[in-house]
Amino acid sequence: MTPEAQRAASISRKTAETDVRVSFALDGTGKATIATGVGFFDHMLELFARHGLFDLDVAVTGDLHVDHHHTVEDTGIALGQAFAQALADKRGITRYADIHLPMDETLTRVAIDISGRPFLVFRTQFRVEKIGQFDTELVREWFQAFAMNAGLTLHVETLYGDNAHHIAESCFKGLARALRQAVAVDPREGGRVPSTKGSL
């Protein structure tokens, strides 16, 4: 792929609560430079990049003295916007993908349609409220923000699992692996948009 054809985008988003800068390259090597100020969240984004083979730069300054909510949600918004920009008109992509992602005792199913019609079904529950200092309810908040801004129809369901870290990790890894398949260029499409409507 020539540099001119690279699927990549950068987004800056600043509010009274956060200052978020992200760069997202779909056809990367899994290289990530992540600094959100939230350690567990950094870990999730690093493995998201690695398993999606995305190149990802994320720098966030947020109101962590309040809590982690705004930082996590606004990062999801910016990453979703960058993903959508990087895909442009979605010509030639595979579009659909699904995966069952095991993480030790946990199994999570992720199914994606890069549809342009954002919708999230998130059937994952945590038995604890925190992983270290990270609120487990923020996992869903990030997926919601990312899916809505990326234009994804996204279904995430943890079929079983006990350890909260494993459950969260299986969700992020599952999303990464499914996206990696869905954004792949299908040579049989011949550069067409994969829809009978002619647009997504």
Side-chain angles (χ1 to χ4, degrees), residues 6-25:
Q6 285 182 352
R7 299 183 298 173
S10 296
I11 292 286
S12 293
R13 183 177 192 276
K14 187 169 185 177
T15 71
E17 297 164 341
T18 61
D19 186 352
V20 182
R21 286 170 285 121
V22 304
S23 295
F24 199 150

Side-chain angles (χ1 to χ4, degrees), residues 66-83:
V66 176
D67 63 9
H68 297 164
H69 188 113
H70 298 141
T71 293
V72 172
E73 183 178 31
D74 288 2
T75 302
I77 291 170
L79 280 172
Q81 291 172 348
F83 175 87

Side-chain angles (χ1 to χ4, degrees), residues 29-32 44-54 56 176:
T29 61
K31 179 178 64 177
M44 293 298 103
L45 294 181
E46 287 164 359
L47 61 84
F48 172 73
R50 177 64 185 87
H51 288 274
L53 291 181
F54 308 129
L56 197 59

Side-chain angles (χ1 to χ4, degrees), residues 130-147:
K130 288 185 177 292
I131 303 169
Q133 299 301 310
F134 184 83
D135 294 328
T136 51
E137 68 179 7
L138 295 182
V139 174
R140 188 191 190 286
E141 291 299 321
W142 185 86
F143 274 78
Q144 176 79 14
F146 181 77

Side-chain angles (χ1 to χ4, degrees), residues 89-111:
D89 62 7
K90 308 178 183 71
R91 289 186 179 275
I93 65 169
T94 301
R95 178 177 169 178
Y96 295 97
D98 65 274
I99 190 168
H100 285 78
L101 199 292
M103 178 70 188
D104 295 349
E105 86 295 344
T106 297
L107 184 66
T108 295
R109 174 173 57 211
V110 178

